[in-house]
Amino acid sequence: MLQRPIISVIYQHGRFTAEMTRPTAGALEFLCDSLVSYAVLKVLTPAFYAIGNGNTPMVVSFLAIGANLFLNWLLPSGWVGDIAGLAFSTSLVATIIFCCSTR
C-alpha cells in the first residue's frame, strides 16, 4: 500500500525518476509477499540440521534452483513484466521451498 511513497522518498532524487518508481514499487509489492516464507525458512533449515536430517534442505534447495531457473525464464517474458516478473518468481520460489520443507 505504501510502496510508491516509500520508494519515492528513499530513491527518487538525482537520476532516479518518477517513471522508475512505478516498476520498482511493483517489484517491492511482489517481494513483500515472500517475507513470511523467508522468515519461516530461517527457522526451519537449522532445525532440520539440528535433528540430523540434512538431506531434506539439500533436496529442497535443488528443487528451488530448478524452479527459480524456470520461473526466471518464464515470468519476465511478458506476463508480469521484467522487474516485477523476477520479483514474483523469487517470491514463488520462497513459497515453494516453504511448502516443500513443511511436508
Side-chain angles (χ1 to χ4, degrees), residues 16-98:
F16 200 89
T17 63
E19 292 83 28
M20 296 175 181
T21 300
R22 193 173 312 117
T24 306
L28 179 64
E29 180 180 353
F30 283 121
L31 286 173
C32 286
D33 294 337
S34 64
L35 286 177
V36 172
S37 297
Y38 278 119
V40 171
L41 285 173
K42 289 300 248 180
V43 174
L44 277 180
T45 303
F48 278 112
Y49 288 111
I51 62 173
N53 185 1
N55 289 335
T56 301
M58 181 187 65
V59 169
V60 170
S61 295
F62 284 132
L63 174 70
I65 291 169
N68 202 3
L69 285 172
F70 177 71
L71 290 174
N72 281 340
W73 172 78
L74 179 70
L75 292 177
S77 62
W79 180 67
V80 178
D82 292 339
I83 298 170
L86 290 175
F88 186 55
S89 69
T90 302
S91 182
L92 278 176
V93 168
T95 306
I96 289 170
I97 294 171
F98 166 68

Side-chain angles (χ1 to χ4, degrees), residues 2-12 16 21 24-25 28:
L2 295 173
Q3 67 263 23
R4 282 192 184 174
I6 290 171
I7 295 295
S8 65
V9 166
I10 294 174
Y11 294 113
Q12 195 172 328
F16 200 89
T21 300
T24 306
L28 179 64

